Amino acid sequence: MRLLGSSQTTQATYSIRWLSADGIRDYTAKEFETRVDFEKKALSQIGIRPGTKVGIRGDNSFLWMVSDVALAELGAVSVVFPAEFNDHALEDLISTYGLSFCLLSDAAPKNGQTRSDVATMGQIDPNRHKTSAVENDPYPVTDDDHSFVFSSGTSGAFKGMVISQKGILDQVETFCDALGITGEDCMLLFMPFSSLQNRVMYYGGIMRNLDIVVAPSTQLLDGLKQFRPTFLVAPPIFYEAVEKSIKAALARTPAVARIALFIASALARTIRIVGGTSTSSRLLHSVYAKAHAVFGGRMRVMVTGMAKIGPSTLEFYESLGLPLVQVYGLTECGVVCVNTLSNNQIGTVGRPLAGNTISIADDGEIVVHKDAPQTSRFFHFEESSEDTRFEGGGVYTGDLGHLSEDGTLTLVGRKKSTIVGHSGVKVQPEPIEKVLEESMLISKAVLVGLDNGRSLGIVLQTTRRLTKPELAPLENDARNIVGSMATSFKDHLRLSVCDEDFTTENGLLTRNLKINRHAVRARFFEGAPAA
């Protein structure tokens, strides 16, 4: 798959800047491509050919990016293991997935490097390393295969997906076109490269001649301030955390200043209607300069959509003049729908990208049809984790939604998260959770079925530790909201309030940052049977 030399201009002008604890390292496009050529030659010398499967394991590094692009340019097929596979023996991974060779990031665990078919990135020695023969490959490749990746579904279990070369190239073109991404932009990456989305991002950066900056997740805020990017893709949990911080700072602002900010925001809304978004944005940037500075002060477009985000968060950023848009996609399809800066319909995920057709099945499931889906097929996954399927030329997403007359898509929830009461009544938790999260005191709400459908569990994550006088009305309001929207459960509600963050570390979020409802039920309603 050709990535280098495919930019829209005649000369590669992108740069790569890397932030680490040791400082910033800069690479020009020429330096990067020279290193890629060097790795291509080394890989070729040890027997890597088009269609050869090569494992990649380890944390982000410059050489990770170099090796990935080199393999793509050779037509080899990468099998990328997330951090959860770090404790798996290399010989098991090599035999299970039919690998001819395995590359470990310079930040990866060093076990297994005595093997001739395992090397650290950038340290391939043709005199010591060679590919191993694969007999009876359990997962043979096709000419269109780019990479084998692993994704965790809403249950947290992994499923394997084979990524299409055509799908990747289509994704880069349609997504960048929809958001107007050009060589004038600078994108910041901070999430693991083992997540396909982030690799697609830097492929797009290379092909569109963007400046690419990379920061560890632990230094993200430093990276934003130092690199001052114009384009950022991040999960809702990040934007929600920054929202909480900005609100806390605004709360400490004197009353007179808060009134002035309110008036300025109202004026900006009026200007947006009368004079357009450009003048309004400049005014808000000036008024909320400190908030803009958190993101570097040059942000042109911020994107989210990997998990549920409340409309109140999107409205908050809009009120500051910070351009946050929600999109919809999944690994099987790539990004499917986007809100744009010129048509940002909060509460929806926007309209389909070019080449995508959306339909709604009789049961409300979203079905995507496209000529070049990002995933061509599944491999090695547990049946219980499979909530998406290919059928009749379409991708049945497992998501529920509805379309407006102009083709705008609104998400309702997940089919698998539907709570079925013991009487057969079905409750979709996401719409109720959205209403609960409109409270200024609630940062996250999660509903789970309990007692074999006889009761409903409500978990409220508060923005801070509340006092007893604050808790009583909050709990009462929550019970009233849920009782009115899920009437069959109104007399059978169980409530739990916490101020603990939901993270992948404590298991309350899956690896792809979605709510792990099984873990939430076990943590807050231990011993209660599921609905």
Side-chain angles (χ1 to χ4, degrees):
M1 184 172 75
R2 188 182 182 195
L3 297 173
L4 304 183
S6 58
S7 61
Q8 294 182 332
T9 59
T10 56
Q11 183 179 2
T13 57
Y14 64 88
S15 65
I16 299 172
R17 307 189 71 196
W18 205 281
L19 175 65
S20 70
D22 299 324
I24 297 174
R25 180 70 187 271
D26 294 326
Y27 303 91
T28 64
K30 183 177 181 180
E31 288 172 328
F32 176 73
E33 295 185 5
T34 298
R35 189 57 193 259
V36 169
D37 286 339
F38 180 86
E39 289 303 308
K40 284 171 60 179
K41 291 176 183 177
L43 290 164
S44 296
Q45 286 178 328
I46 63 170
I48 305 297
R49 302 288 183 265
T52 302
K53 274 196 293 186
V54 179
I56 295 180
R57 190 172 79 174
D59 295 338
N60 292 3
S61 71
F62 175 71
L63 290 175
W64 205 116
M65 186 184 291
V66 167
S67 299
D68 178 41
V69 173
L71 289 170
E73 289 278 312
L74 286 172
V77 178
S78 59
V79 181
V80 181
F81 299 104
E84 289 83 351
F85 284 74
N86 282 352
D87 59 352
H88 291 216
L90 284 172
E91 55 266 26
D92 292 340
L93 296 179
I94 289 169
S95 62
T96 299
Y97 298 103
L99 307 181
S100 296
F101 201 75
C102 192
L103 290 169
L104 300 184
S105 168
D106 43 323
K110 299 299 189 289
N111 55 312
Q113 291 195 72
T114 57
R115 295 178 59 115
S116 62
D117 55 0
V118 177
T120 298
M121 294 171 180
Q123 299 180 26
I124 296 173
D125 181 355
N127 296 317
R128 184 162 65 91
H129 296 114
K130 62 179 180 179
T131 56
S132 57
V134 178
E135 297 180 3
N136 301 317
D137 186 351
Y139 307 112
V141 303
T142 71
D143 291 342
D144 183 51
D145 292 349
H146 166 60
S147 187
F148 284 41
V149 302
F150 298 85
S151 177
S152 57
T154 51
S155 67
F158 282 102
K159 57 183 176 181
M161 288 177 276
V162 182
I163 305 304
S164 158
Q165 295 182 29
K166 292 178 182 177
I168 289 288
L169 297 176
D170 176 78
Q171 181 69 184
V172 168
E173 180 178 358
T174 56
F175 182 70
C176 289
D177 285 349
L179 291 178
I181 305 300
T182 71
E184 299 297 315
D185 282 303
C186 171
M187 71 162 68
L188 186 145
L189 305 176
F190 67 96
M191 296 185 68
F193 291 163
S194 57
S195 173
L196 177 69
Q197 170 190 287
N198 297 284
R199 294 161 64 200
V200 175
M201 294 289 290
Y202 65 69
Y203 296 161
I206 292 168
M207 296 173 69
R208 292 283 176 122
N209 261 329
L210 275 70
D211 289 329
I212 304 167
V213 296
V214 186
S217 58
T218 54
Q219 294 179 267
L220 174 55
L221 293 178
D222 287 340
L224 287 167
K225 291 177 181 178
Q226 293 194 51
F227 293 134
R228 305 184 69 230
T230 62
F231 176 47
L232 176 69
V233 177
I237 191 172
F238 168 71
Y239 294 113
E240 290 163 353
V242 175
E243 175 191 14
K244 186 188 300 185
S245 176
I246 294 174
K247 283 182 174 178
L250 290 174
R252 294 191 295 269
T253 304
V256 173
R258 289 202 302 273
I259 292 172
L261 290 172
F262 176 81
I263 294 172
S265 296
L267 177 60
R269 286 194 295 271
T270 303
I271 292 173
R272 184 184 298 120
I273 296 171
V274 177
T277 58
S278 178
T279 304
S280 171
S281 296
R282 287 197 298 272
L283 173 59
L284 289 172
H285 190 292
S286 174
V287 171
Y288 293 105
K290 290 183 178 179
H292 283 254
V294 173
F295 295 93
R298 290 200 311 150
M299 195 61 69
R300 189 180 68 80
V301 57
M302 304 187 299
V303 178
T304 195
M306 303 156 216
K308 180 180 67 174
I309 186 168
S312 61
T313 296
L314 296 165
E315 290 166 353
F316 171 76
Y317 281 98
E318 183 181 61
S319 73
L320 301 182
L322 283 163
L324 175 60
V325 298
Q326 184 179 11
V327 305
Y328 170 65
L330 55 165
T331 307
E332 287 83 351
C333 302
V335 176
V336 175
C337 293
V338 299
N339 277 297
T340 62
L341 295 179
S342 60
N343 186 23
N344 186 16
Q345 299 186 48
I346 291 176
T348 79
V349 291
R351 301 181 67 180
L353 288 173
N356 291 263
T357 302
I358 306 292
S359 61
I360 306 297
D362 291 342
D363 63 354
E365 183 173 7
I366 300 167
V367 184
V368 179
H369 294 265
K370 62 187 304 179
D371 293 333
Q374 189 168 259
T375 295
S376 62
R377 63 192 184 279
F378 297 116
F379 76 97
H380 193 70
F381 64 86
E382 298 178 25
E383 288 290 339
S384 61
S385 73
E386 178 55 8
D387 50 13
T388 309
R389 66 191 188 280
F390 295 95
E391 185 177 304
V395 179
Y396 284 71
T397 64
D399 293 313
L400 301 174
H402 57 81
L403 288 168
S404 65
E405 290 185 0
D406 69 352
T408 300
L409 179 65
T410 299
L411 300 181
V412 175
R414 294 287 298 167
K415 285 181 70 174
K416 287 185 66 174
S417 59
T418 300
I419 299 167
V420 182
H422 74 286
S423 63
V425 175
K426 295 181 179 179
V427 173
Q428 194 62 38
E430 284 90 344
I432 303 174
E433 292 164 353
K434 284 184 179 179
V435 174
L436 291 170
E437 289 169 357
E438 291 176 2
S439 167
M440 294 291 290
L441 295 175
I442 298 174
S443 57
K444 196 175 299 295
V446 182
L447 271 61
V448 293
L450 305 173
D451 308 321
N452 297 314
R454 288 177 172 78
S455 60
L456 194 61
I458 310 164
V459 178
L460 303 178
Q461 180 203 12
T462 56
T463 55
R464 55 180 172 80
R465 188 178 295 275
L466 302 182
T467 63
K468 287 184 178 180
E470 290 175 314
L471 272 174
L474 181 74
E475 292 178 353
N476 186 59
D477 288 347
R479 290 180 183 276
N480 288 336
I481 290 170
V482 177
S484 66
M485 298 181 73
T487 55
S488 60
F489 288 101
K490 65 179 180 179
D491 297 321
H492 306 279
L493 301 175
R494 295 172 59 183
L495 190 67
S496 181
V497 178
C498 73
D499 57 5
E500 175 186 10
D501 287 335
F502 284 39
T503 67
T504 55
E505 288 76 14
N506 62 23
L508 298 179
L509 294 181
T510 65
R511 177 176 166 267
N512 58 2
L513 303 176
K514 295 182 179 180
I515 296 294
N516 187 338
R517 295 182 188 272
H518 301 288
V520 170
R521 183 185 299 111
R523 168 73 71 85
F524 297 102
F525 306 101
E526 189 173 1

